[in-house]
Amino acid sequence: MVPHLVTALTGPINELEQRVLDSMPAIERWFRLEWMEHTPPFYCSVDVRNAGFKLAPVDTDLYPRGWNNLTPSMLPLAVQAAMAAIEKICPEARNLLIIPENDLRSTFYLSNLAQMRRIFHMAGLNVRIGSINPELKKSTVLKLPDGETLTLEPVTRTKGRIGVKDFDPCTILLNNDLVTGVPGILEDLNEQYLLPPLHASWSTRRRSTHFKTYEEVAKRFGKLFGVDPWLINPMFDRCGGVDLGTDDGVEALKARVDTLLAKVKKKYKEYGIKEKPFVVVKADDGHNGMGIMTVRDGKELSVLREKVLARAKATRGSTEVDLIFQEGVLTHERMNGAVAEPVVYLMDRYVVGGFYRMHAERAQDEDLNAPGSSYVPRAFAESTHLPQPGLRPGASAPNRFYMYGVVARLAMLAASYELEATDPEADHHA
Amino acid sequence: MVPHLVTALTGPINELEQRVLDSMPAIERWFRLEWMEHTPPFYCSVDVRNAGFKLAPVDTDLYPRGWNNLTPSMLPLAVQAAMAAIEKICPEARNLLIIPENDLRSTFYLSNLAQMRRIFHMAGLNVRIGSINPELKKSTVLKLPDGETLTLEPVTRTKGRIGVKDFDPCTILLNNDLVTGVPGILEDLNEQYLLPPLHASWSTRRRSTHFKTYEEVAKRFGKLFGVDPWLINPMFDRCGGVDLGTDDGVEALKARVDTLLAKVKKKYKEYGIKEKPFVVVKADDGHNGMGIMTVRDGKELSVLREKVLARAKATRGSTEVDLIFQEGVLTHERMNGAVAEPVVYLMDRYVVGGFYRMHAERAQDEDLNAPGSSYVPRAFAESTHLPQPGLRPGASAPNRFYMYGVVARLAMLAASYELEATDPEADHHA
């Protein structure tokens, strides 16, 4: 039986939290057993949104950047989790090659790389950073604002193995989501562990596949622990191959958006929520070039249409798009007056930290991970691992963070299922 | 080749630290591979002494108390390590029974139990506390100074399994070193995991066995990483079955102590150390009733003789003793003017935290873990996991802590070898 938890605006999440806290040993045991059967992604970060009445993941990044935003007190957790991850994958590992994004102009991103190097060095690996950007012809030293330096070396391929000069890694860690496609240099490697596997990149991944799997995970979790899955699951709809160059295409989309909005409205009514429902429109294949749009009515899609047409004109591309409409989850959290959303970092099966992504110029129903915008990450003051049994949920920050960690791990579990389902080497008839 | 590192008083440890920091990835890999072959003790704490020129473990506790002295920021590490430990031993685990010491008069010890309960609860287990003290006849609620309560229940045994009322644990965690012997209720359990195993208790364990194994581990480590093993290893001598009731027995002991002192003096000379060597005399079987003595000359053993004879008289016991003489390691650390020694806490194969044990009334060559004495634990300000490559070793507290974590893990590895060698169920002919 799935209970309907409450009707008051701030009520349900507190009851949800209470239920999750009360079930903690059972939840942890459930995760433990799930990870016996399924391999967690090597690392990931999950954007979580807390609407007060609902707490849900809205994005799961399998090539997480932003490790530099973890506080020093979270580093040991990351190092310990990295040790556990390496031990499982390749205990004999000596050398790790990190392959970063091709564009290294952001000093924030360089700080992220420096932090990743630190974590894996402390976990017991010789770490080098190798770029697959074909424009990088020779080893280059990059300087960080704090004076630290990073040596970026061109990746070379010999006998089916990749490496950098005098460095043959047994493990390669990608921090590049390959949104523009898989370069040949990474394909068919000879006895080298490539983490995450290529089918975790946006060349294969679809947001709708992830959220379909997440929906199943949320349902199972809801059934086991007596929680309405909707309280942790954003509803969604996928629209593939829609031609925004035709009126029929646009009309079809509008109808789909309005249907989803109606479903959300129904849920809001059921819980007595007075907010206006909205839907977030994203590219299904991870390309964020067209932006992420907030829509409150199917009619607003004409703006999207204009954007897509303008872009098609500029790039001579197609006007066909694969979209995902996702139930918008408000963020009710504020840090210093700015809208904030928690981002949870995971390594192997462990929650190792997190921070708040803040955006002073965005509203509570807008995407905060806006490309090019400045945001100020704020580390969680407390660990995500430490609920305080007996304390009132709302009154206790650590309890809130435990809940974030549970939801983030549900998203990670969904990613694990997703990668199993999309693994080209798996025997799906088994 | 094992280099002789330096001659100046404060020199060697800094060179030793530098070498350890430079070898970090190789050291971590070595530990990783060792833990593939050998099972770490479930948990332990290691008393480390830092003489400036030498850094060595002086005691390895396989039933560590004092978990309450870890700071809140260290708790997540302990929880994460506990998760990894449980996953390895019994992933299906639901229920954990903690068996504490029989004597529960110390509120510090009760706080330790509350902390242990917290750690394993957060790791995903239902935790109950069951006493094997035959005097406990019914469930008793104990109140801690902070208002928290602990329910202590009498352990019962049915069909070869132990538990408390309506609670059948699959895993039992001993926090009782069984120094007075193994009670029958714990023997021959039926498909229950007893952690640590009974032969880890002082009913089987001998300090000399541990330090013999540690010596071998230190030698291997020294050879691999180019370090004189003496810099991390306290020399020792074992004297078993010595009758302190006879003059011959006492004379033999004096000679052995003077021989060990001469060996230490030789090492001090080699390194140009001006301190006066001393030897610490302990009971080999973990019984600390006769106290732990600091001796600078064989002659001082007459005091020990008097103590032992007085005790034999009072308890009608034997005057025969099994002793270990251990090279004394000065502690050069001070906190607020008091002599301090670091204690490192480990769970499974991970360093999860530590603190300083301080004693305002004791000297730098005395035992600080004096029964009945008050000491003030001070948590490490920084994590033990985070050396800062590039920083001068002496200048950097985190680097010092990394070194403590390495030495503590060497002691833990020695305990792992020790438990393999003393396992009554192991096939030693294999």
Side-chain angles (χ1 to χ4, degrees), chain A residues 372-406:
Chain A
S373 78
S374 70
Y375 60 85
V376 185
R378 272 293 172 99
F380 293 164
E382 302 282 339
S383 150
T384 53
H385 257 314
L386 294 178
Q388 304 188 347
L391 285 194
R392 201 160 51 81
S396 154
N399 284 355
R400 178 68 33 99
F401 296 145
Y402 178 70
M403 180 74 200
Y404 291 165
V406 169

Side-chain angles (χ1 to χ4, degrees), chain A residues 24-25 28-29 32-33 36 72 75-77 80-81 83-84 86-87 91-94 121-126 349-350 383 385-387 389 409, chain B residues 24-25 28-29 32-33 36 72 75-77 80-81 83-84 86-87 91-94 121-126 349-350 383 385-387 389 409:
Chain A
M24 187 170 55
E28 294 301 326
R29 178 173 182 268
R32 211 189 298 138
L33 294 174
M36 297 295 292
L75 256 193
L77 272 176
Q80 191 174 294
M83 285 171 144
I86 292 158
E87 192 189 80
E92 302 84 16
R94 250 182 242 277
H121 177 70
M122 284 173 195
L125 294 163
N126 301 308
R349 59 206 176 283
Y350 304 106
S383 150
H385 257 314
L386 294 178
R409 282 184 289 169
Chain B
M24 186 170 54
E28 294 300 327
R29 179 173 183 269
R32 212 189 297 138
L33 293 175
M36 298 295 292
L75 257 194
L77 273 176
Q80 191 173 293
M83 285 171 145
I86 292 159
E87 192 189 82
E92 301 84 15
R94 249 182 242 277
H121 178 72
M122 285 174 195
L125 294 164
N126 301 309
R349 57 205 178 284
Y350 303 108
S383 151
H385 257 315
L386 295 178
R409 281 184 289 170

Side-chain angles (χ1 to χ4, degrees), chain A residues 153-212:
Chain A
E153 301 170 82
V155 168
T156 53
R157 181 166 172 141
T158 325
K159 294 182 187 155
R161 291 176 72 86
I162 60 174
V164 292
K165 195 161 186 268
D166 304 324
F167 189 79
D168 181 47
C170 73
T171 311
I172 298 141
L173 181 59
L174 265 183
N175 196 241
N176 180 328
D177 64 14
L178 306 178
V179 72
T180 57
V182 175
I185 196 169
L186 296 182
E187 284 177 323
D188 303 317
L189 293 178
N190 183 17
E191 292 181 1
Q192 283 182 313
Y193 294 92
L194 181 66
L195 301 169
L198 288 177
H199 67 282
S201 75
W202 283 117
S203 62
T204 302
R205 245 188 128 201
R206 292 295 173 265
R207 282 187 165 117
S208 54
T209 313
H210 178 69
F211 281 100
K212 180 80 199 130

Side-chain angles (χ1 to χ4, degrees), chain A residues 400-427:
Chain A
R400 178 68 33 99
F401 296 145
Y402 178 70
M403 180 74 200
Y404 291 165
V406 169
V407 165
R409 282 184 289 169
L410 291 175
M412 179 166 68
L413 185 59
S416 163
Y417 281 57
E418 176 196 346
L419 293 181
E420 282 170 13
T422 58
D423 186 352
E425 283 172 30
D427 180 2

Side-chain angles (χ1 to χ4, degrees), chain A residues 312-327:
Chain A
K313 215 170 174 179
T315 60
R316 294 168 158 272
S318 155
T319 54
E320 211 177 272
V321 283
D322 290 326
L323 297 176
I324 173 172
F325 303 144
Q326 192 175 44
E327 172 192 349

